[in-house]
Amino acid sequence: MALVHPLSLRSRRPHAAWLLLSGLLWSACAHNTDRSGFTTDDDGGTSVVVGGQDAAAGGSPGIVLEGGATSTGGPCGANGLRCKIAACDSGPKTTVTAKVYDPAGMVPLYNVAVYVPGADVAPIATGPTCDNCATPTSGDPIVSALTDATGTFVLQDVPVGTGVPLVLQIGKWRREITLPEVQPCQDNAFDDPTTFRLPRTQSEGNLPKIALAVGGADTLECLLRRIGVADSEFTDPSGTGRVNLFVDDFVGTAGVDTPTSSYASGGAFANFSSLFTSIDAIADGGFVSGTPDPLSSYDIVMVACQGSQAALRVVSSADKQGLKAFVDTGGRAFLSHYNYGWLRGGDVVGSDDVQPSPEGSAIDLQTKFTQTPFPPIAVWQDPTSLDYAPGGDGTYLVDTSFPRGMAMASWLVNVGASTTSGSLSLVNVKNPATSVLPGVAQRWIYQDAMGTPYLSANTPVEQAATPDQQCGRIVHTGIHVSAGASDGHDPFPSGCSPGPLSAQEKALEFMFFDLSSCVTDETKPPPDPVF
């Protein structure tokens, strides 16, 4: 006797319904792998699987297990959705199409993973973890897709019915939503930015834990607020918010713009140096694996510009080693303007075991930065003239020589930040890199006559030749937030101006979510989620 799909509705014996309800026949779901929507009865007849009626009577398509795959909970998956995929061989597939937006529901995002889970998703761990784009995605995905440069995704062969779960994720940003209904063998198009967006609060999903050092010369905290992160998520380290604000006490006061240092509701920001206390206690600036490190409770560190290069000279080599250990083990760092000081400082003491700076000893002696453990990724001053790239206002170019650069150029046009693909108008660009070391770091935005105000490098930098061994990322930008907004020095959040993102801020938003995303070889397009 041939196997019969347990959900066949034609010519079944009376006890079949009980077997269906008890789930005893789920394993037979794998029998029908030809995607025809029919099975063979023991009397030679045919019957349509779940969701269908007799095809001769004009019934709807059946539901089959895709590819006979198995997963946790049996071949139908832990939630049974693998057995709710319509067989649409003779017509259009069952698709779901929509755009995914930032937490504010205003700007569609690139490279967001969207998938239908076949099981519950696991909690996301806080702190640096050495995962990359080759790490399997949680939730036993059934189908998946990535958003394109318009923020649009198209999922094919989606399970049908009501209440179909959907996961939106980029890096440690994740939100689970529910589709009200998916109709078989047609495109199910949705247009709802309030639903198809990343979470604003922890009650809506997972946000990465961010340590943000505010700066008097820039307002990265206001950028996150305008991106859509709720005010309730901005707290000091003792609070429950996912964005902890610090005052950058490394820089002292001389020549530094006075930053916001308190909340409008009361309470002062914590000191940024407190994140490096245990690192400073390690003898000779060395980093010992397993040493308690306050940075390890965060996923992303953002350091806004304070308006003083000289102030960065007080950052010790031990502090820099702490940041390097953080990003080398999967953390992410966003460094604005003069915070290139964390990455600079070569053989200023003449030691034979110190890696020489590509900027040259004359620059090292001039800048007087403490020795950095980071391998060189860029040059900020011309070794022959000792000059910085001029930066300033003007039209800059997007490097389209690599896949994500091409996507960024298209995305900027699609979101109204650029009128010509591959170019972008910027203002108040400060001290960009003069050049980027090829094969080590990636140039994103540049102008030959003005410099490179946005670059990134995957970490550990020492593993640049083997990108599959890299799992963290650092970013440096000379592009400022406050140049495009009237943010002030009032306590947070009253010091942040309201309104939509400027074109310049949209470019920063792209950079920020790219920093958040899983790490992969920059020379290749972003890969689909790994199951």
Side-chain angles (χ1 to χ4, degrees):
M1 180 179 69
L3 287 174
V4 180
H5 195 289
L7 303 184
S8 172
L9 302 180
R10 177 178 177 270
S11 300
R12 297 284 68 88
R13 294 180 174 86
H15 67 284
W18 180 86
L19 289 171
L20 169 60
L21 292 174
S22 67
L24 295 179
L25 290 179
W26 278 118
S27 62
C29 186
H31 167 65
N32 186 19
T33 59
D34 65 357
R35 303 190 61 79
S36 65
F38 296 88
T39 67
T40 302
D41 201 344
D42 54 4
D43 60 4
T46 58
S47 48
V48 183
V49 298
V50 177
Q53 304 166 13
D54 196 311
S60 62
I63 310 301
V64 301
L65 175 68
E66 183 171 346
T70 59
S71 61
T72 302
C76 293
N79 56 13
L81 290 177
R82 290 185 183 273
C83 288
K84 294 185 179 180
I85 301 174
C88 304
D89 297 319
S90 59
K93 293 180 178 291
T94 304
T95 59
V96 169
T97 305
K99 288 185 178 181
V100 178
Y101 292 80
D102 61 11
M106 298 298 294
V107 180
L109 297 178
Y110 168 70
N111 195 29
V112 178
V114 182
Y115 63 93
V116 176
D120 291 340
V121 296
I124 296 177
T126 296
T129 54
C130 207
D131 302 323
N132 54 34
C133 292
T135 302
T137 303
S138 173
D140 191 21
I142 298 172
V143 291
S144 69
L146 294 174
T147 57
D148 62 18
T150 69
T152 303
F153 70 88
V154 179
L155 285 173
Q156 292 190 348
D157 292 325
V158 179
V160 304
T162 59
V164 176
L166 200 66
V167 178
L168 317 175
Q169 182 170 357
I170 182 168
K172 293 189 177 183
W173 296 87
R174 186 175 72 192
R175 189 179 185 199
E176 299 175 58
I177 64 174
T178 301
L179 302 178
E181 184 175 14
V182 176
Q183 295 286 347
C185 304
Q186 66 181 53
D187 182 41
N188 296 263
F190 295 89
D191 184 14
D192 182 7
T194 63
T195 299
F196 288 84
R197 60 171 175 78
L198 297 182
R200 297 171 180 162
T201 64
Q202 296 172 67
S203 63
E204 293 183 339
N206 194 87
L207 292 75
K209 189 74 175 291
I210 301 172
L212 195 157
V214 299
D218 206 5
T219 54
L220 288 175
E221 69 277 12
C222 296
L223 174 68
L224 294 188
R225 188 170 186 259
R226 285 189 286 271
I227 283 173
V229 178
D231 288 348
S232 61
E233 295 297 336
F234 293 85
T235 67
D236 61 31
S238 63
T240 59
R242 298 296 286 180
V243 182
N244 294 166
L245 298 181
F246 297 81
V247 62
D248 193 349
D249 58 317
F250 276 125
V251 300
T253 57
V256 177
D257 293 331
T258 302
T260 299
S261 60
S262 63
Y263 297 92
S265 58
F269 296 165
N271 287 336
F272 187 48
S273 63
S274 65
L275 292 176
F276 298 83
T277 302
S278 63
I279 299 300
D280 288 332
I282 300 174
D284 300 323
F287 182 81
V288 179
S289 177
T291 301
D293 179 6
L295 281 177
S296 64
S297 61
Y298 292 92
D299 302 307
I300 299 173
V301 172
M302 305 179 73
V303 194
C305 179
Q306 291 285 20
S308 170
Q309 173 177 266
L312 267 297
R313 293 172 187 152
V314 303
V315 176
S316 71
S317 293
D319 300 325
K320 296 177 181 182
Q321 182 64 60
L323 183 66
K324 185 177 189 300
F326 173 75
V327 297
D328 282 358
T329 54
R332 313 299 165 86
F334 189 108
L335 306 176
S336 173
H337 193 186
Y338 287 128
N339 286 292
Y340 52 43
W342 290 85
L343 307 174
R344 300 175 67 188
D347 188 7
V348 296
V349 295
S351 172
D352 293 336
D353 60 354
V354 175
Q355 185 172 7
S357 165
E359 295 181 305
S361 59
I363 289 177
D364 291 333
L365 291 171
Q366 181 189 66
T367 57
K368 296 183 175 65
F369 291 129
T370 58
Q371 176 193 334
T372 185
F374 284 98
I377 64 171
V379 173
W380 277 270
Q381 279 180 270
D382 187 326
T384 57
S385 66
L386 305 186
D387 290 335
Y388 286 92
D393 303 352
T395 299
Y396 289 76
L397 304 176
V398 178
D399 190 336
T400 58
S401 65
F402 65 110
R404 296 220 306 246
M406 293 180 63
M408 183 182 190
S410 298
W411 183 87
L412 289 169
V413 173
N414 293 329
V415 300
S418 172
T419 56
T420 303
S421 182
S423 69
L424 176 67
S425 294
L426 299 174
V427 297
N428 199 32
V429 172
K430 295 288 189 178
N431 299 127
T434 60
S435 62
V436 172
L437 271 63
V440 176
Q442 179 61 58
R443 178 183 72 176
W444 290 74
I445 298 175
Y446 72 101
Q447 175 56 269
D448 290 336
M450 300 179 186
T452 301
Y454 177 58
L455 60 92
S456 69
N458 291 343
T459 57
V461 175
E462 295 88 339
Q463 299 294 333
T466 54
D468 60 326
Q469 300 298 311
Q470 296 177 303
C471 55
R473 185 180 290 127
I474 51 177
V475 159
H476 178 264
T477 177
I479 303 172
H480 284 61
V481 175
S482 54
S486 56
D487 300 328
H489 295 310
D490 292 335
F492 180 86
S494 56
C496 297
S497 62
L501 296 173
S502 66
Q504 187 151 316
E505 287 179 300
K506 289 177 181 177
L508 287 169
E509 180 175 35
F510 185 98
M511 301 172 195
F512 173 71
F513 282 109
D514 180 78
L515 176 71
S516 301
S517 67
C518 65
V519 173
T520 188
D521 185 347
E522 296 280 19
T523 65
K524 300 177 181 178
D528 287 335
V530 177
F531 299 359

